[in-house]
Amino acid sequence: MKKIALALALATAFSAHAVEYTQVQPEKSAINFIYKQMGVAVDGKFKRFASQLNFDPAKPAAAKATFDVELASVDTGAPEGDDEVAGKPWFNTKAFPTARFVSGSVKPLGGNRYEVAGQLSIKGKTQDVVVPATFTAQGKTGVFDGAFTIRRADFSIGEGTWAKFDIVANDVQIKFHITASAK
C-alpha cells in the first residue's frame, strides 16, 4: 500500500510541475529553406509566420501545432529574387498568401526526438509530411529544431519554364528553430 501511495504522490508531483509550451516567440524563432540553383546551395527564410502550439513533453501524443507562413515575407537575400519568388510562377502570393502546416500526430522516438506527422498546404495543394524534430527544455522555454525536405513540383512551385529542374532543383529543405514559452 505504501508503494502505491508513493507512486501516486510522485505522479501527482510530476504532473503538478508539468509544463505546456504554448507561446511561440517569433523573434527567437526561424523558418528557413535551402535549395540548389545550378548546383549551388542557396539559403532563404520567411520573416513572418503565425502559430498555435500546445506541447507538453509528458504527453507528446496530445501535442498540436499549426503554422501559417506568410509567403510574401520570403527573403532570398536579394529584393529582385524576393519579387520573383512571390510572383505567379513560384508562390503566387496574390492568390495563395500563406502556406500552412497542421500537425496530426506526434510520436516520441526516445530522448528528445519526435516525429510530427501532419499536412502541409502550399498553393492550394496539400501533402502529408513527416517532420523529425528535437525538443530541448530550458526552464520555462522550450526549443524545437528540425528539418524536412519537400519537392516543389508537388506544390506547383515553379510553373511554366521553371517547372523543369535543370536550373532550380526539385528538392527544397525546410529548416526550423522554434522557441516557445510555457503558459
Side-chain angles (χ1 to χ4, degrees):
M1 189 60 126
K2 286 183 182 181
K3 287 182 181 180
I4 293 173
L6 179 60
L8 285 173
L10 287 172
T12 303
F14 180 72
S15 64
H17 295 292
V19 177
E20 185 172 20
Y21 299 88
T22 59
Q23 304 297 316
V24 172
Q25 300 172 3
E27 70 283 356
K28 294 181 180 178
S29 300
I31 299 176
N32 300 320
F33 58 90
I34 301 169
Y35 65 97
K36 287 191 176 178
Q37 184 168 333
M38 296 174 53
V40 177
V42 180
D43 295 333
K45 65 182 175 182
F46 293 98
K47 296 185 270 184
R48 291 185 296 279
F49 63 90
S51 60
Q52 296 175 342
L53 177 68
N54 295 88
F55 179 76
D56 179 346
K59 302 176 200 165
K64 301 262 186 255
T66 301
F67 284 85
D68 291 305
V69 177
E70 188 178 318
L71 295 174
S73 75
V74 67
D75 182 352
T76 63
E80 61 277 2
D82 300 347
D83 292 341
E84 175 69 27
V85 174
K88 191 172 181 178
W90 293 97
F91 286 136
N92 192 5
T93 60
K94 289 187 181 176
F96 305 100
T98 59
R100 172 174 260 209
F101 173 78
V102 178
S103 68
S105 65
V106 176
K107 177 181 172 185
L109 300 176
N112 65 342
R113 298 177 312 116
Y114 300 87
E115 250 182 17
V116 182
Q119 293 193 318
L120 178 63
S121 300
I122 305 172
K123 286 184 75 174
K125 300 190 184 305
T126 301
Q127 296 282 322
D128 291 329
V129 295
V130 176
V131 179
T134 61
F135 172 76
T136 306
Q138 299 171 346
K140 293 277 187 185
T141 301
V143 177
F144 302 85
D145 286 298
F148 62 102
T149 299
I150 64 168
R151 293 180 177 260
R152 63 183 184 86
D154 292 344
F155 299 97
S156 298
I157 301 169
E159 297 181 57
T161 59
W162 293 108
K164 296 179 188 174
F165 309 120
D166 54 342
I167 295 175
V168 179
N170 193 24
D171 289 351
V172 178
Q173 185 182 44
I174 311 296
K175 296 174 76 173
F176 58 90
H177 176 84
I178 305 296
T179 301
S181 57
K183 62 177 179 176

